[in-house]
Amino acid sequence: RALRLLFLLFAGHKPWIETEYQGIVMENDNTVLLNPPLFALDKDAPLHYAGEICGFRVHNGPSGSGSVQFEAVVLDRSTGEGLVRSKEPLDCESQREHSFTIQAYDCGEGPDGVNSKKSHKATVHVRVNDVNEFSPVFVERRYEASVPEGRLFDRIVRVEALDADCSPQYSQICFYDIITPNVPFAIDNDGNIKNTEPLDSKRQRIHTFWVTAFDCGKNRAQADAQVVVTVKPSCKPGWIGWTKRVEYTPGSGSIPLFPSLHLETCEETVWNIQATVELQTGHIGKGCDRDSYSDRSVRRLCGAVRGEVDLLPPPSPAANWTSALPTLPSSDSSLIFSFNGSNHVAVVPDSVVSALSGDHFTLQLWMRRGGANIQPATTQTRGNRKEEETIVCSTVRNDDSFSHYSLSVHGCRLSLFYWPDVSAARPVKFLWKLEQVCDSEWHHLSLSVQFPSVTLYVDGVTFDPALIHDNGAIPNPAPRQRMFIGACWGETNMLRISSRLLFKPLSTENYHGLLSGVTVRPGSVEPHSVVECLYACREGLDFGDLETLGSGMKVHVNPSQSVLVLEGDDIESFNRAVQQVTYRNSLRFATPGVRPLKLTTSLRCFNEESCLSLKQLEGYLVVLQPDAPQISLSGVGPHLARPAPEFEGPRGVPLFPELRIVCSLSHAVNTAAQGMEGGALMSDAVAHTLDGCEVQPLGEELNPEREELLVDMDVVRERGLEIINTTAYIAITGAESISVYEDVLRSVRYRLAKGSARFERRFRLSCSEMNGRYTSNELTLEVNFLHSLDSLYHPSHLLASQQQFLHPSHHAGELSGHTLPNPHRNSVVPGAATVIIMVCVGFLVVMVILGVFRIRSIHRRGEGARGGAKEGSSQWDDSALTIIVNPMESYESRMGISADTEGEGEEDEEVAESPDDASDDQRIIIKKEGRDGNARRY
């Protein structure tokens, strides 16, 4: 009994094993190698049975299949050594990791295992090691590619093979190999195939070869792959049909810029194409082709409200404050003034400033920063800041107070300093940050002030200001009217301009740059539509027909129509769209010159690495010289003869009552195609708009006390035209139709004061269009004043009568061409005087005939008596016979008076005149020069 109790005491321990085991088994083996080795220990040893291990039991792991696939056996019961093995072959490709638990049992109290003890459960992780049982397999059995000839490619096509083994060692493809010998291709370990020499389609169009693959266990692919490379003839991707020079004939409307242009991608698959066409017109006038009329005429054509005041008018006697400013030529016929930042300042007279009162006004101007030869502006740094430059500075009276404003630029900022009441209100500064201010290009600024509201338009686009209340110490402007262009004034730093002392503040500098068309219109602000019209370009890029756009195509044009962007995804649709890009210029007389063109293309491909890159194309558009219009003035003179009393009437005499103005274009026409030799000139009548006509007296200017030119001012004002009427000329300006100018010029009358009539006065008429770019012929009209006989005898006309006889041939020729609409009414010789003159002429003819016969008879008798002796000195030489006829004879002939001129060309005539047959105003003077050189008068 004692031994039994002792045995029970020592046999009560459980077997012990490790808590976790890591195992490895090969795919082709079933024994699992554990780490650490499987050993079960029991503290009951060395007791028989109780200290021995009789078995291991496998339980399911997390996957639930461990007990099915694995088993554990005891190798030595006394040491507790065990072995784990798989019941069936394992597949690494189907399951690479296995987990399960294991438990050890001792033998208990006897051979039957009564009262056996079991250990805790230990976790076993088994990894199945791969065996290189699979060979590589190509994804495709045949690979095809096409490449253009003559080029080396980094990659033509990529082949790919896969291995079904589960481990990286045997599943990875270590290298590829081209097994076809002597081919100009090579393959790298990643399967990329490239050509080793440029391919020639003429020598071999198609290359076929085989490639194989090896995994890292050196297993070769089960089946090799075939590669077919087709060599395409030479293809250069890019635009085909690009014409560097494009010519535009003014008046052609819209023309396609790229009628035969198309994009060649060399079969490269693209999914997005974007092309940007840029037309550069910055050097044409103020940025592009606009109406070539004066700024005032353009404002009227755009429907602007009248009443604007030109602050920089062309220098003239009436506007002389701009005469000291230098001007620059402009291709758009506008007057450009240059300001150098120091002494170039325009002081507007007080008479002009007084009309600009009020806190509602519109200030408009064209501005370009910098001098005449300027470079693009650079970004200013903090250490290189410039002072504020004043463009316009003005103080005006508003009823019983004064308001002040100044427009300035500072770097890339534009500011309006406004003081509604210099004696009470606080000043307000409106500030805009604009790139247009400092880009050294022409820009149109329109500032509409309706205080406290201020609207700025730059090139027709609205910009909102940042409102700033300036609380700094600012000296109040002097309460007096004054306006400067290009500078301002203050209480310090006197500036001498044109021998006058002006004040300039410390905080501002004078403007340095170009200005044109500076106007102010007091009252209501300018509508936006008018501002857009003033800036509108008449040339630019356009798209021919939007309905022809294919699906997926987009077109965008910027507001100034200088940049056009096309975007699409189909090559054919894109090519058709590019051919629809046009240039249009609505000016019949476009500014000739060169406009640079640029075409930038961006492509996006499915394969970004091999996507095409196209260089920028550059060309130019040449606007040819337009056909000069012929402005023809006709229907007048060249002589206008009227009785003097008609000119002395209250309305005078119209100078151009039947004036006709015709504008036409003459251009060469090729007639060779019509079977005609040479060419011909064709003239097309065109509807034109004149912008000025001038009537100028030739010789001495008009005497304001004795003569004047009158114009129907109602017609001038109704049409919105402007007129300058001086003693030297009458100038009518403003863009209007030809019919309007005809009506105005037909109303021009010439009037004389009583007793101021003379015998002639000459005038010259000329017209122009496109701001003087094209001029008409000069139409000269000679006005003759017809006097009655009573007035001819008047002493005041004695000198005029003598002048007629001093220049008989001149007056005879001119009077013969006079226009006499009513000869009976305007005849200078009454009926009684006509009868007397006819009798005198008849008597004179009889006397001349008798004298001729007498001279002939005497001559014959003298020859017979002397018998061929020398001719005496008393004999006449009739080789030089001069007859001076009264110019009145031309008018007498119109009344039916004729003179017998028989024998006028006969030799050896002798003429006698009775002093009673002619008066001082009606006589014929016959001059006979003898052979001795002495002249005799009869």
Side-chain angles (χ1 to χ4, degrees):
R1 180 179 294 180
L3 292 174
R4 182 175 179 84
L5 290 175
L6 183 62
F7 175 79
L8 293 175
L9 178 64
F10 289 100
H13 294 89
K14 296 180 181 181
W16 178 90
I17 59 175
E18 298 286 344
T19 59
E20 186 175 14
Y21 295 90
Q22 301 292 334
I24 298 175
V25 62
M26 301 297 296
E27 278 186 318
N28 57 358
D29 193 4
N30 62 348
T31 301
V32 179
L33 301 179
L34 293 180
N35 183 23
L38 181 60
F39 282 94
L41 301 178
D42 197 329
K43 290 183 179 181
D44 294 332
L47 297 178
H48 189 56
Y49 296 112
E52 296 177 351
I53 302 300
C54 285
F56 294 93
R57 183 176 298 176
V58 176
H59 301 279
N60 291 335
S63 61
S65 62
S67 61
V68 177
Q69 293 180 320
F70 294 92
E71 63 179 0
V73 295
V74 178
L75 298 181
D76 189 345
R77 297 176 62 177
S78 61
T79 61
E81 181 181 2
L83 174 67
V84 177
R85 60 190 179 191
S86 63
K87 299 178 181 179
E88 56 187 25
L90 299 177
D91 187 5
C92 176
E93 286 72 33
S94 61
Q95 186 173 353
R96 190 173 181 182
E97 300 284 345
H98 297 271
S99 296
F100 54 91
T101 60
I102 189 172
Q103 198 173 26
Y105 293 84
D106 60 13
C107 295
E109 298 178 0
D112 54 357
V114 179
N115 295 325
S116 65
K117 302 292 184 179
K118 57 183 178 181
S119 69
H120 63 273
K121 293 181 179 180
T123 304
V124 180
H125 300 283
V126 178
R127 186 180 72 238
V128 180
N129 278 359
D130 187 28
V131 176
N132 193 9
E133 56 185 325
F134 295 101
S135 298
V137 177
F138 282 97
V139 176
E140 301 288 342
R141 295 296 303 274
R142 179 185 175 93
Y143 293 88
E144 295 183 1
S146 298
V147 293
E149 64 179 356
R151 293 173 55 188
L152 291 176
F153 297 90
D154 293 334
R155 184 177 70 176
I156 296 176
V157 66
R158 181 176 182 269
V159 298
E160 184 181 8
L162 301 177
D163 195 303
D165 289 313
C166 66
S167 64
Q169 178 183 2
Y170 300 125
S171 64
Q172 292 183 357
I173 307 300
C174 279
F175 63 94
Y176 296 87
D177 189 20
I178 297 177
I179 59 178
T180 303
N182 302 326
V183 293
F185 298 95
I187 189 171
D188 59 15
N189 293 338
D190 295 326
N192 297 313
I193 298 176
K194 64 179 181 180
N195 58 324
T196 56
E197 62 183 45
L199 304 178
D200 188 356
S201 61
K202 297 180 180 178
R203 185 173 61 184
Q204 186 173 352
R205 179 69 182 276
I206 299 176
H207 294 266
T208 303
F209 54 92
W210 296 85
V211 295
T212 189
F214 292 88
D215 62 17
C216 294
K218 297 186 178 180
N219 275 359
R220 181 175 171 174
Q222 293 180 354
D224 301 328
Q226 185 184 40
V227 179
V228 178
V229 177
T230 303
V231 182
K232 297 183 298 184
S234 180
C235 176
K236 186 177 181 180
W239 291 102
I240 299 177
W242 170 262
T243 303
K244 189 173 183 180
R245 174 188 172 98
V246 180
E247 291 187 354
Y248 177 79
T249 302
S252 303
S254 297
I255 63 168
L257 291 175
F258 321 113
S260 59
L261 189 66
H262 64 278
L263 181 62
E264 176 59 59
T265 60
C266 296
E267 298 184 6
E268 179 70 31
T269 304
V270 298
W271 63 272
N272 182 268
I273 315 170
Q274 189 177 45
T276 302
V277 184
E278 182 179 359
L279 176 69
Q280 299 179 12
T281 58
H283 62 291
I284 304 298
K286 300 190 185 79
C288 69
D289 233 350
R290 294 182 172 88
D291 284 305
S292 297
Y293 298 107
S294 64
D295 291 327
R296 187 179 297 271
S297 296
V298 173
R299 287 181 54 81
R300 194 171 61 82
L301 292 175
C302 289
V305 181
R306 300 177 186 176
E308 74 277 359
V309 177
D310 195 350
L311 302 182
L312 290 178
S316 65
N320 59 355
W321 68 88
T322 60
S323 58
L325 294 177
T327 59
L328 300 178
S330 174
S331 57
D332 59 0
S333 304
S334 61
L335 193 60
I336 296 176
F337 294 91
S338 176
F339 294 81
N340 61 359
S342 58
N343 60 342
H344 291 167
V345 179
V347 183
V348 183
D350 293 342
S351 59
V352 178
V353 181
S354 61
L356 303 177
S357 61
D359 55 359
H360 292 184
F361 62 90
T362 300
L363 174 65
Q364 299 195 52
L365 55 95
W366 284 94
M367 180 188 73
R368 181 182 181 186
R369 294 283 299 280
N373 299 319
I374 53 179
Q375 299 295 329
T378 57
T379 304
Q380 295 183 1
T381 60
R382 292 185 179 271
N384 188 27
R385 299 187 64 179
K386 296 183 179 179
E387 295 294 337
E388 191 172 359
E389 301 178 12
T390 302
I391 301 176
V392 179
C393 187
S394 173
T395 300
V396 297
R397 176 185 290 274
N398 297 325
D399 297 331
D400 57 348
S401 64
F402 287 88
S403 64
H404 174 83
Y405 72 87
S406 62
L407 183 67
S408 307
V409 289
H410 184 193
C412 292
R413 290 175 172 83
L414 179 75
S415 63
L416 174 67
F417 183 78
Y418 191 80
W419 210 325
D421 188 350
V422 298
S423 61
R426 293 169 55 191
V428 179
K429 177 177 282 189
F430 300 89
L431 189 65
W432 296 267
K433 185 176 181 181
L434 305 167
E435 294 296 331
Q436 293 89 334
V437 175
C438 57
D439 63 358
S440 302
E441 298 291 341
W442 277 107
H443 295 285
H444 181 260
L445 274 63
S446 178
L447 196 67
S448 296
V449 178
Q450 196 169 7
F451 192 78
S453 175
V454 176
T455 305
L456 174 67
Y457 298 96
V458 180
D459 298 338
V461 180
T462 309
F463 290 88
D464 295 327
L467 188 63
I468 298 176
H469 291 274
D470 200 333
N471 299 321
I474 301 176
N476 290 35
R480 54 166 293 190
Q481 289 190 152
R482 63 177 69 181
M483 176 177 283
F484 287 0
I485 308 298
C488 202
W489 61 89
E491 299 298 332
T492 57
N493 284 10
M494 290 188 298
L495 175 67
R496 183 177 296 274
I497 302 174
S498 303
S499 302
R500 290 184 293 173
L501 291 178
L502 304 173
F503 291 98
K504 186 183 72 170
L506 287 171
S507 60
T508 62
E509 295 289 338
N510 293 358
Y511 176 70
H512 182 243
L514 306 178
L515 293 177
S516 178
V518 183
T519 62
V520 173
R521 186 176 60 80
S524 58
V525 298
E526 203 76 85
H528 188 196
S529 59
V530 174
V531 177
E532 288 181 337
C533 177
L534 292 174
Y535 173 71
C537 288
R538 303 295 294 274
E539 68 172 342
L541 299 173
D542 204 352
F543 193 81
D545 187 5
L546 292 175
E547 295 182 357
T548 61
L549 277 176
S551 60
M553 289 296 304
K554 299 178 183 178
V555 59
H556 172 74
V557 184
N558 67 336
S560 62
Q561 293 190 293
S562 60
V563 178
L564 184 144
V565 180
L566 283 173
E567 186 175 358
D569 53 9
D570 180 68
I571 295 292
E572 297 299 327
S573 300
F574 196 87
N575 287 336
R576 288 193 300 267
V578 168
Q579 296 171 6
Q580 292 290 325
V581 177
T582 61
Y583 168 80
R584 57 123 188 109
N585 195 323
S586 57
L587 289 179
R588 180 58 186 86
F589 305 105
T591 304
V594 176
R595 277 79 160 162
L597 269 175
K598 291 183 180 179
L599 176 61
T600 306
T601 311
S602 174
L603 300 177
R604 301 184 68 181
C605 308
F606 290 102
N607 188 355
E608 294 292 341
E609 297 180 3
S610 64
C611 197
L612 304 176
S613 178
L614 305 182
K615 67 177 183 179
Q616 185 184 67
L617 297 180
E618 295 183 359
Y620 52 92
L621 172 75
V622 180
V623 178
L624 302 179
Q625 185 74 32
D627 297 325
Q630 286 78 43
I631 309 175
S632 175
L633 308 180
S634 61
V636 177
H639 300 281
L640 175 66
R642 293 289 187 276
E646 292 188 15
F647 292 92
E648 298 172 355
R651 298 193 60 188
V653 174
L655 294 180
F656 317 107
E658 299 178 359
L659 174 67
R660 292 185 66 252
I661 304 177
V662 177
C663 291
S664 61
L665 291 175
S666 296
H667 54 87
V669 177
N670 185 10
T671 57
Q674 303 175 4
M676 302 172 59
E677 296 182 358
L681 284 179
M682 299 295 293
S683 181
D684 300 329
V686 180
H688 289 250
T689 300
L690 300 181
D691 58 11
C693 288
E694 182 178 279
V695 180
Q696 179 184 7
L698 298 179
E700 60 184 11
E701 296 184 3
L702 297 178
N703 187 342
E705 297 180 357
R706 302 177 58 185
E707 54 186 343
E708 63 178 338
L709 289 174
L710 306 175
V711 182
D712 190 346
M713 296 303 299
D714 293 336
V715 178
V716 175
R717 283 191 293 267
E718 179 184 356
R719 297 297 184 175
L721 300 177
E722 297 181 1
I723 184 170
I724 300 176
N725 194 348
T726 66
T727 59
Y729 62 89
I730 284 184
I732 304 169
T733 58
E736 258 301 347
S737 63
I738 291 178
S739 60
V740 171
Y741 269 93
E742 285 180 338
D743 294 340
V744 174
L745 293 175
R746 288 170 184 172
S747 69
V748 176
R749 295 172 172 269
Y750 179 56
R751 190 175 71 85
L752 295 172
K754 288 290 185 180
S756 301
R758 38 196 289 177
F759 272 86
E760 67 174 10
R761 165 63 92 174
R762 303 177 69 197
F763 295 93
R764 181 172 60 199
L765 170 65
S766 62
C767 295
S768 66
E769 68 173 316
M770 306 296 288
N771 208 23
R773 182 174 171 184
Y774 303 107
T775 58
S776 69
N777 60 309
E778 293 185 350
L779 190 62
T780 302
L781 174 67
E782 182 176 300
V783 178
N784 295 104
F785 312 94
L786 304 182
H787 303 270
S788 64
L789 283 180
D790 294 337
S791 64
L792 289 175
Y793 286 114
H794 197 276
S796 64
H797 297 281
L798 181 59
L799 181 58
S801 300
Q802 294 176 356
Q803 291 176 351
Q804 285 184 349
F805 291 114
L806 290 177
H807 306 282
S809 60
H810 171 70
H811 287 281
E814 290 179 350
L815 291 173
S816 62
H818 280 310
T819 302
L820 295 176
N822 190 352
H824 297 286
R825 177 188 174 192
N826 298 325
S827 176
V828 298
V829 184
T834 303
V835 175
I836 295 174
I837 292 175
M838 292 178 64
V839 173
C840 292
V841 172
F843 181 77
L844 179 61
V845 171
V846 173
M847 294 299 295
V848 171
I849 295 174
L850 293 177
V852 170
F853 280 110
R854 182 178 179 183
I855 291 173
R856 286 180 175 275
S857 61
I858 293 174
H859 181 66
R860 293 191 190 98
R861 289 197 300 269
E863 285 183 349
R866 286 187 292 272
K870 262 188 175 183
E871 295 180 354
S873 60
S874 61
Q875 300 299 321
W876 287 30
D877 183 8
D878 57 356
S879 61
L881 179 63
T882 303
I883 301 177
I884 303 176
V885 185
N886 190 339
M888 298 295 292
E889 181 182 351
S890 62
Y891 291 95
E892 295 169 0
S893 62
R894 295 174 183 268
M895 300 298 296
I897 303 174
S898 62
D900 189 357
T901 58
E902 291 183 4
E904 183 177 353
E906 298 179 2
E907 297 181 356
D908 301 328
E909 289 182 344
E910 182 177 344
V911 181
E913 178 188 31
S914 173
D916 298 331
D917 294 341
S919 65
D920 293 338
D921 294 326
Q922 300 172 356
R923 62 185 178 180
I924 299 177
I925 301 175
I926 302 177
K927 179 180 177 183
K928 180 72 174 180
E929 184 176 336
R931 298 183 183 274
D932 56 357
N934 297 322
R936 295 171 176 79
R937 296 170 61 88
Y938 293 89

